[in-house]
């Protein structure tokens, strides 16, 4: 695997850096830096995604025929790395990264024509309806029913931990359309307008005081059959396709940025007469994390080579998901340890930190620490728990 950039790659890297320098404003960078949740707030995301859309760079891994960039794997990698290094807001993935590729891969022409342009221009803001109160990591155990009546499905049940459902216009859901056979069978993939009568969204406030997730209830909700993606009872295949893209790719750049910030904090915080970076414990822990981040980057490069060869991400996506979570959680723990008592104050009210002007003790980089630490406790559960990822790795990589 050749890790050297070509002249064309370097020219593209310079183009990306110039775009970021011109368009990544201080307010966007500050909002991103102060974000403690998985996704930045909707207003920040939309402001940044509008700039990318106008440049033609928002759907950077979509085919050109659907409004994408047509970039190769190396260009996508460079773009992700440069955005992370510059401190750009993350792209909200629900529409662009998750349901969009499912639609242009498995959807009808009518679905492509209607949904894809609206995902790109921001008219439709999406959320994901996968987990249920009794079916989280065991996604195939979902029970939300969709009974067909003529040209409609009638839905009853609920989805939980639904990120940004309170902001969304549409939700893509896995639903149970058949109870016979294996539990992975009888699942269908539906696209649902959240304005449909019978849908109720209740907020879930996390222990970090964030309103990021929700529970969504469906009471006799009628959805047109034409909003089903692909074949009835084949939704599990489409879900696996989506999860490969949810779990892998693009994480090493953000891990490197988080490590750089952690190293700066450890170099700034003083214990006794010397910065903490001279403390043997912190020096050793930083070295462990840095080695892990480097390994993550190499794994991502391997996965990029698979994609460049036209192959799916495969088991590497589970490796990426599991290890990136472990590294992110460890860095959040070290940040708390480095900040000591400055890490503990938490602003009241559950508002995003970038909107709060209250005085808090400690350095400017301290306020997001405790919220980030608390939020990251969930990351080893959602998107497939670490235990599930390791089962996949054991089967597909180790052949156990």
């Amino acid at each position: 695997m050749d890790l050297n950039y070509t002249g064309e790659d370097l020219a593209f890297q310079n183009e990306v850096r110039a775009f970021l320098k011109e368009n990544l404003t201080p307010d966007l960078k500050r909002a991103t830096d102060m974000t403690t949740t998985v996704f930045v707030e909707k207003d920040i995301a939309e402001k940044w995604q509008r700039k990318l859309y106008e440049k033609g760079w928002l759907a950077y891994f979509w085919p050109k025929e659907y409004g994408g960039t047509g970039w190769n794997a190396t260009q996508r990698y460079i773009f992700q790395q440069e955005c992370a290094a510059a401190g750009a807001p993350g792209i909200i993935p629900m529409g662009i990264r998750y349901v969009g590729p499912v639609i242009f891969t498995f959807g009808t022409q009518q679905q492509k024509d209607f949904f894809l342009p609206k995902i790109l221009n921001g008219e439709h803001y999406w959320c994901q309806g996968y987990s249920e109160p009794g079916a989280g990591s065991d996604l195939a155990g979902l029970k939300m029913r969709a009974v067909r009546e003529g040209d409609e499905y009638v839905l009853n049940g609920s989805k939980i931990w639904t990120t940004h459902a309170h902001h969304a216009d549409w939700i893509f859901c896995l639903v149970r359309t058949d109870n016979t056979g294996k539990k992975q069978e009888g699942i269908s993939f539906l696209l649902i307008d959240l304005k449909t009568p019978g849908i109720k969204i209740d907020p879930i406030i996390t222990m970090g005081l964030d309103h990021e997730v929700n529970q969504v209830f469906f009471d006799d909700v009628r959805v047109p059959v034409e909003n089903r993606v692909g074949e009835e009872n084949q939704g599990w295949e489409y879900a696996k396709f989506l999860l490969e893209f949810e779990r892998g790719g693009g994480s090493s750049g953000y891990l490197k940025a988080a490590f750089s910030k952690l190293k700066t904090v450890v170099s700034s915080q003083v214990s006794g007469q010397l910065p903490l970076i001279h403390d043997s414990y912190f020096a050793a822990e930083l070295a462990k994390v840095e080695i892990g981040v480097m390994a993550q980057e190499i794994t991502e490069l391997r996965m990029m080579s698979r994609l460049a060869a036209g192959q799916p991400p495969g088991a590497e996506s589970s490796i990426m998901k599991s290890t990136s979570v472990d590294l992110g959680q460890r860095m959040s723990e070290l940040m708390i340890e480095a900040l000591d008592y400055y890490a503990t104050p938490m602003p009241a009210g559950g508002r995003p930190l970038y909107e709060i002007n209250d005085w808090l003790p400690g350095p400017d980089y301290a306020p997001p620490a405790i919220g980030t630490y608390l939020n990251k406790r969930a990351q080893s559960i959602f998107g497939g728990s670490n235990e599930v990822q390791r089962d996949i790795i054991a089967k597909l990589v180790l052949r156990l």
Side-chain angles (χ1 to χ4, degrees), residues 184-213:
Q184 287 84 0
E185 300 169 352
I187 294 173
S188 296
F189 194 107
L190 296 184
L191 311 175
I192 305 166
D193 187 341
L194 282 172
K195 296 189 294 294
T196 306
I199 296 177
K200 178 173 175 281
I201 301 172
D202 282 354
I204 298 174
I205 306 303
T206 69
M207 60 183 177
L209 302 182
D210 301 305
H211 178 198
E212 185 176 27
V213 293

Side-chain angles (χ1 to χ4, degrees), residues 147-205:
V147 178
R148 185 163 180 172
E149 293 184 1
D151 293 332
E152 294 179 318
Y153 288 107
V154 181
L155 277 56
N156 283 282
S158 74
K159 297 293 181 179
I160 200 166
W161 313 124
T162 315
T163 305
H164 280 200
H166 56 300
H167 294 314
D169 308 297
W170 285 76
I171 181 172
F172 57 95
C173 279
L174 293 181
V175 296
R176 177 70 59 188
T177 44
D178 190 353
N179 279 315
T180 62
K182 297 179 180 179
K183 63 182 183 179
Q184 287 84 0
E185 300 169 352
I187 294 173
S188 296
F189 194 107
L190 296 184
L191 311 175
I192 305 166
D193 187 341
L194 282 172
K195 296 189 294 294
T196 306
I199 296 177
K200 178 173 175 281
I201 301 172
D202 282 354
I204 298 174
I205 306 303

Side-chain angles (χ1 to χ4, degrees), residues 10-26:
L10 293 172
F12 176 72
Q13 184 183 52
N14 288 333
E15 183 183 2
V16 174
R17 287 177 175 175
F19 172 81
L20 290 168
K21 183 177 180 180
E22 181 178 349
N23 291 276
L24 187 55
T25 56

Side-chain angles (χ1 to χ4, degrees), residues 98-100 102-103 111 126 128 130 153 171-175 177 187-192 225 227-240 242:
Y98 298 169
V99 75
V102 172
I103 291 172
Q111 289 169 344
W126 286 81
Q128 179 184 46
Y130 273 25
Y153 288 107
I171 181 172
F172 57 95
C173 279
L174 293 181
V175 296
T177 44
I187 294 173
S188 296
F189 194 107
L190 296 184
L191 311 175
I192 305 166
V225 171
N227 282 15
R228 185 190 70 225
V229 176
E231 299 297 320
E232 186 173 84
N233 300 328
Q234 297 301 310
W236 186 249
E237 297 305 313
Y238 315 136
K240 289 194 298 182
L242 184 151

Side-chain angles (χ1 to χ4, degrees), residues 124-155:
H124 284 174
Y125 192 90
W126 286 81
C127 62
Q128 179 184 46
Y130 273 25
S131 294
E132 297 182 7
S137 292
D138 181 21
L139 184 58
L142 65 89
K143 292 180 171 58
M144 182 168 145
R145 294 294 308 279
V147 178
R148 185 163 180 172
E149 293 184 1
D151 293 332
E152 294 179 318
Y153 288 107
V154 181
L155 277 56

